[in-house]
Amino acid sequence: MRRLTRKEIESDGSAMPRIMNFHDQLIGSRLVQVTRRRSDYTQPPPILIFADGTTLATQYDDEGNPGDTEWQITDREGYMYHSVQVQDLVRHSVTGVGYFVDLHNDDRKVIPYVEIENVFLVCCMTPHGGGVILHHRPGNDAWDLFCQFTPKLELQP
């Protein structure tokens, strides 16, 4: 896996620059709460709540269909931190937003992430690859998605 460049993300369509500018509002936000999940996993994954009331929630797809989704923490190269859980990142700030691309996945190539403290990437995953992150800003009464798309990839040297 590798992280997509901003140019690769924004080349997906005319709406992507606006969508990414909306997600950029997360940068500098401090995570203050992670909702609890029942131990039997019958509830959706935890919701991330930030100091300004902004929330992030996982979704299976762009239409909001239910499905198996989970927050996973990776390093900047996409390798999972098995010992770090999303609740361990409370009190830390967002330093970036973006997507990984999984070139080995034909169905869900992109994996959205929110970067915390330039170290941890909070990713939305499904059993089939990347999921979707619903980003809600109640102060603005606005929301948008870290959606699924098929990236137009630049050749890497």
Side-chain angles (χ1 to χ4, degrees), residues 102-147:
D102 182 354
L103 298 173
H104 304 291
N105 189 324
D106 293 329
D107 185 33
R108 293 173 166 261
K109 285 189 180 304
V110 296
I111 300 167
Y113 68 79
V114 175
E115 182 177 52
I116 305 286
E117 300 296 341
N118 292 315
V119 176
F120 304 103
L121 302 182
V122 180
C123 303
C124 177
M125 296 298 296
T126 78
H128 308 289
V132 172
I133 299 174
L134 172 62
H135 172 186
H136 181 241
R137 303 189 73 75
N140 302 34
D141 194 26
W143 64 272
D144 215 324
L145 301 174
F146 286 84
C147 56

Coordinates of all heavy atoms in Angstrom, one line a residue, residues 102-147:
D102 N -4.6 0.5 -2.2 CA -4.2 -0.9 -2.1 C -4.2 -1.5 -3.5 O -5.3 -1.8 -4.1 CB -5.2 -1.7 -1.2 CG -4.8 -3.1 -1.0 OD1 -3.9 -3.6 -1.7 OD2 -5.5 -3.8 -0.2
L103 N -3.1 -1.6 -4.2 CA -3.1 -2.0 -5.6 C -3.4 -3.5 -5.8 O -3.7 -3.9 -6.9 CB -1.7 -1.8 -6.1 CG -1.2 -0.3 -6.1 CD1 0.2 -0.2 -6.5 CD2 -2.2 0.5 -7.1
H104 N -3.5 -4.3 -4.7 CA -3.9 -5.7 -4.8 C -5.3 -5.9 -4.6 O -5.8 -7.1 -4.6 CB -3.1 -6.5 -3.8 CG -1.6 -6.3 -3.9 ND1 -0.9 -6.8 -5.0 CD2 -0.7 -5.6 -3.1 CE1 0.4 -6.5 -4.9 NE2 0.5 -5.8 -3.7
N105 N -6.1 -4.9 -4.4 CA -7.6 -5.0 -4.2 C -8.3 -4.5 -5.4 O -8.1 -3.3 -5.7 CB -8.0 -4.2 -2.9 CG -9.4 -4.5 -2.5 OD1 -10.3 -4.7 -3.4 ND2 -9.6 -4.6 -1.2
D106 N -9.0 -5.3 -6.1 CA -9.7 -4.9 -7.3 C -11.1 -4.2 -7.0 O -11.6 -3.5 -7.8 CB -10.0 -6.1 -8.2 CG -8.7 -6.6 -8.8 OD1 -7.8 -5.8 -9.0 OD2 -8.7 -7.8 -9.0
D107 N -11.6 -4.4 -5.8 CA -12.9 -3.9 -5.4 C -12.9 -2.5 -4.7 O -13.4 -1.6 -5.2 CB -13.7 -4.9 -4.6 CG -15.1 -4.5 -4.3 OD1 -15.7 -3.9 -5.1 OD2 -15.6 -4.8 -3.2
R108 N -12.2 -2.5 -3.6 CA -12.1 -1.3 -2.8 C -10.6 -0.9 -2.7 O -10.0 -1.1 -1.7 CB -12.7 -1.5 -1.4 CG -14.2 -1.8 -1.5 CD -14.8 -2.2 -0.2 NE -16.2 -2.1 -0.2 CZ -16.9 -1.1 0.3 NH1 -16.3 -0.1 0.9 NH2 -18.2 -1.1 0.2
K109 N -10.1 -0.2 -3.7 CA -8.7 0.2 -3.8 C -8.3 1.2 -2.7 O -7.1 1.2 -2.3 CB -8.4 0.7 -5.2 CG -8.3 -0.4 -6.2 CD -7.7 0.2 -7.5 CE -7.6 -0.7 -8.6 NZ -6.9 -1.9 -8.3
V110 N -9.2 2.1 -2.4 CA -8.7 3.2 -1.5 C -9.2 3.0 -0.1 O -10.2 2.4 0.2 CB -9.2 4.6 -2.0 CG1 -8.6 4.9 -3.3 CG2 -10.7 4.7 -2.1
I111 N -8.3 3.4 0.9 CA -8.6 3.3 2.3 C -8.4 4.7 2.9 O -7.3 5.3 2.9 CB -7.6 2.3 2.9 CG1 -7.7 0.9 2.3 CG2 -7.8 2.3 4.5 CD1 -6.6 0.0 2.6
P112 N -9.5 5.3 3.3 CA -9.4 6.7 3.9 C -8.8 6.6 5.3 O -8.9 5.7 6.0 CB -10.9 7.1 4.0 CG -11.7 5.8 4.1 CD -10.9 4.8 3.4
Y113 N -8.1 7.7 5.6 CA -7.4 7.8 6.9 C -7.4 9.2 7.4 O -7.5 10.2 6.7 CB -6.0 7.3 6.9 CG -5.0 8.1 6.1 CD1 -4.5 9.3 6.6 CD2 -4.6 7.7 4.8 CE1 -3.6 10.0 5.9 CE2 -3.7 8.5 4.1 CZ -3.2 9.6 4.6 OH -2.3 10.4 3.9
V114 N -7.3 9.3 8.7 CA -7.1 10.6 9.4 C -5.8 10.4 10.2 O -5.7 9.4 11.0 CB -8.3 10.9 10.4 CG1 -8.0 12.1 11.2 CG2 -9.6 11.0 9.6
E115 N -4.8 11.2 10.0 CA -3.5 11.1 10.6 C -3.5 11.8 11.9 O -4.0 13.0 12.0 CB -2.5 11.7 9.7 CG -1.0 11.6 10.2 CD -0.1 12.2 9.2 OE1 -0.2 13.3 8.7 OE2 0.9 11.4 8.8
I116 N -3.0 11.2 13.0 CA -2.9 11.7 14.3 C -1.4 11.9 14.7 O -0.7 10.9 14.6 CB -3.6 10.8 15.3 CG1 -5.1 10.5 14.9 CG2 -3.5 11.4 16.7 CD1 -6.0 11.7 15.1
E117 N -1.0 13.1 15.1 CA 0.3 13.4 15.6 C 1.4 13.0 14.6 O 2.5 12.6 15.0 CB 0.5 12.8 17.0 CG -0.4 13.3 18.0 CD -0.3 14.8 18.3 OE1 0.7 15.4 18.0 OE2 -1.2 15.3 18.9
N118 N 1.2 13.0 13.3 CA 2.2 12.6 12.3 C 2.7 11.2 12.4 O 3.7 10.9 11.9 CB 3.3 13.6 12.3 CG 2.9 15.0 11.8 OD1 2.3 15.1 10.8 ND2 3.4 16.0 12.5
V119 N 2.0 10.4 13.2 CA 2.5 9.0 13.4 C 1.4 8.0 13.1 O 1.7 7.0 12.4 CB 2.9 8.8 14.9 CG1 3.3 7.4 15.2 CG2 4.0 9.8 15.3
F120 N 0.2 8.1 13.7 CA -0.8 7.1 13.6 C -1.9 7.5 12.5 O -2.3 8.6 12.5 CB -1.5 7.0 14.9 CG -0.6 6.6 16.1 CD1 -0.2 7.6 17.0 CD2 -0.1 5.3 16.2 CE1 0.6 7.3 18.0 CE2 0.8 5.0 17.3 CZ 1.1 6.0 18.2
L121 N -2.2 6.5 11.7 CA -3.3 6.7 10.7 C -4.5 5.9 11.1 O -4.4 4.7 11.3 CB -2.8 6.3 9.3 CG -1.6 7.0 8.8 CD1 -1.2 6.6 7.4 CD2 -1.7 8.5 8.9
V122 N -5.6 6.6 11.4 CA -6.9 5.9 11.8 C -7.6 5.7 10.5 O -8.0 6.6 9.8 CB -7.7 6.8 12.7 CG1 -9.0 6.2 13.1 CG2 -6.9 7.2 13.9
C123 N -7.7 4.4 10.1 CA -8.3 4.0 8.8 C -9.6 3.3 9.0 O -9.9 2.6 10.0 CB -7.3 3.0 8.1 SG -5.7 3.6 7.9
C124 N -10.5 3.5 8.0 CA -11.8 2.8 8.0 C -11.6 1.6 7.1 O -11.4 1.7 5.9 CB -12.9 3.7 7.5 SG -14.5 2.9 7.4
M125 N -11.8 0.4 7.6 CA -11.7 -0.8 6.9 C -12.9 -1.7 6.9 O -13.7 -1.6 7.8 CB -10.5 -1.7 7.5 CG -9.2 -1.0 7.5 SD -8.6 -0.7 5.8 CE -8.4 -2.4 5.2
T126 N -13.1 -2.5 5.8 CA -14.1 -3.5 5.7 C -13.4 -4.8 5.4 O -12.2 -4.8 5.1 CB -15.1 -3.2 4.6 OG1 -14.5 -3.5 3.3 CG2 -15.6 -1.7 4.6
P127 N -14.1 -5.9 5.5 CA -13.5 -7.2 5.1 C -13.0 -7.2 3.6 O -12.3 -8.0 3.2 CB -14.6 -8.2 5.3 CG -15.5 -7.6 6.3 CD -15.5 -6.1 6.0
H128 N -13.5 -6.2 2.8 CA -13.2 -6.2 1.4 C -12.3 -5.1 1.0 O -12.1 -4.8 -0.2 CB -14.5 -6.1 0.6 CG -15.5 -7.1 1.0 ND1 -15.4 -8.4 0.7 CD2 -16.7 -7.0 1.7 CE1 -16.4 -9.1 1.2 NE2 -17.2 -8.3 1.8
G129 N -11.7 -4.4 2.0 CA -10.8 -3.3 1.7 C -11.3 -2.0 2.4 O -11.9 -2.1 3.5
G130 N -11.0 -0.9 1.8 CA -11.4 0.4 2.4 C -12.8 0.6 2.6 O -13.6 0.1 1.8
G131 N -13.2 1.3 3.6 CA -14.6 1.7 3.9 C -14.8 3.2 3.5 O -14.1 3.7 2.7
V132 N -15.7 3.8 4.2 CA -16.1 5.2 4.0 C -16.1 5.8 5.4 O -16.6 5.2 6.4 CB -17.4 5.3 3.3 CG1 -17.9 6.7 3.3 CG2 -17.3 4.7 1.9
I133 N -15.6 7.1 5.5 CA -15.7 7.8 6.8 C -16.7 8.9 6.6 O -16.6 9.8 5.7 CB -14.4 8.4 7.2 CG1 -13.3 7.2 7.4 CG2 -14.5 9.2 8.5 CD1 -11.9 7.7 7.7
L134 N -17.7 8.9 7.5 CA -18.7 10.0 7.5 C -18.2 11.1 8.4 O -17.9 10.9 9.6 CB -20.1 9.6 8.0 CG -21.1 10.7 8.3 CD1 -21.5 11.4 7.0 CD2 -22.3 10.0 9.0
H135 N -17.9 12.3 7.9 CA -17.4 13.5 8.6 C -18.5 14.5 8.8 O -19.0 15.1 7.8 CB -16.2 14.0 7.8 CG -15.6 15.3 8.3 ND1 -14.7 15.9 7.5 CD2 -15.8 16.0 9.4 CE1 -14.3 17.1 8.2 NE2 -15.0 17.1 9.3
H136 N -18.9 14.7 10.1 CA -20.0 15.6 10.4 C -19.5 16.7 11.2 O -18.8 16.5 12.2 CB -21.1 14.9 11.1 CG -22.3 15.7 11.4 ND1 -22.7 16.0 12.7 CD2 -23.1 16.4 10.6 CE1 -23.8 16.8 12.7 NE2 -24.0 17.1 11.4
R137 N -19.8 18.0 10.8 CA -19.5 19.2 11.5 C -20.7 19.9 12.0 O -21.3 20.7 11.3 CB -18.6 20.1 10.7 CG -17.4 19.4 10.1 CD -16.5 20.4 9.4 NE -15.8 21.2 10.3 CZ -14.7 20.9 11.1 NH1 -14.3 19.6 11.1 NH2 -14.2 21.7 11.9
P138 N -21.2 19.6 13.2 CA -22.5 20.1 13.7 C -22.5 21.6 13.8 O -23.6 22.3 13.6 CB -22.7 19.5 15.0 CG -21.4 19.0 15.5 CD -20.6 18.8 14.2
G139 N -21.4 22.3 14.1 CA -21.4 23.7 14.2 C -21.7 24.4 12.8 O -22.3 25.5 12.8
N140 N -21.3 23.7 11.8 CA -21.6 24.2 10.4 C -22.9 23.6 9.9 O -23.3 24.0 8.8 CB -20.5 23.9 9.5 CG -19.1 24.4 9.9 OD1 -18.8 24.5 11.1 ND2 -18.3 24.8 8.9
D141 N -23.4 22.6 10.6 CA -24.5 21.8 10.1 C -24.2 21.3 8.7 O -24.9 21.4 7.7 CB -25.8 22.5 10.1 CG -27.0 21.6 9.9 OD1 -26.9 20.4 10.3 OD2 -28.0 22.0 9.3
A142 N -22.9 20.7 8.6 CA -22.4 20.2 7.3 C -21.8 18.8 7.5 O -21.3 18.5 8.6 CB -21.4 21.2 6.7
W143 N -21.8 18.1 6.4 CA -21.2 16.8 6.5 C -20.7 16.4 5.1 O -21.1 17.0 4.1 CB -22.1 15.7 7.0 CG -23.3 15.5 6.1 CD1 -24.5 16.1 6.1 CD2 -23.4 14.6 4.9 NE1 -25.3 15.7 5.1 CE2 -24.6 14.7 4.4 CE3 -22.5 13.6 4.4 CZ2 -25.1 14.0 3.3 CZ3 -22.9 12.9 3.3 CH2 -24.2 13.1 2.7
D144 N -19.7 15.5 5.0 CA -19.3 14.9 3.7 C -18.6 13.6 4.0 O -18.5 13.2 5.2 CB -18.3 15.9 3.0 CG -18.4 15.8 1.5 OD1 -18.7 14.7 1.0 OD2 -18.3 16.9 0.9
L145 N -18.2 12.9 3.0 CA -17.7 11.6 3.1 C -16.2 11.5 2.6 O -15.9 12.1 1.6 CB -18.5 10.6 2.3 CG -20.0 10.4 2.6 CD1 -20.6 9.5 1.5 CD2 -20.2 9.9 4.0
F146 N -15.4 10.7 3.3 CA -14.2 10.2 2.7 C -14.7 9.0 1.9 O -14.9 7.9 2.5 CB -13.2 9.7 3.8 CG -12.5 10.8 4.6 CD1 -13.2 11.4 5.7 CD2 -11.3 11.2 4.3 CE1 -12.5 12.4 6.4 CE2 -10.6 12.2 5.0 CZ -11.2 12.7 6.1
C147 N -15.0 9.2 0.7 CA -15.7 8.3 -0.1 C -14.8 7.2 -0.8 O -13.6 7.3 -0.8 CB -16.5 9.0 -1.2 SG -15.5 10.1 -2.2

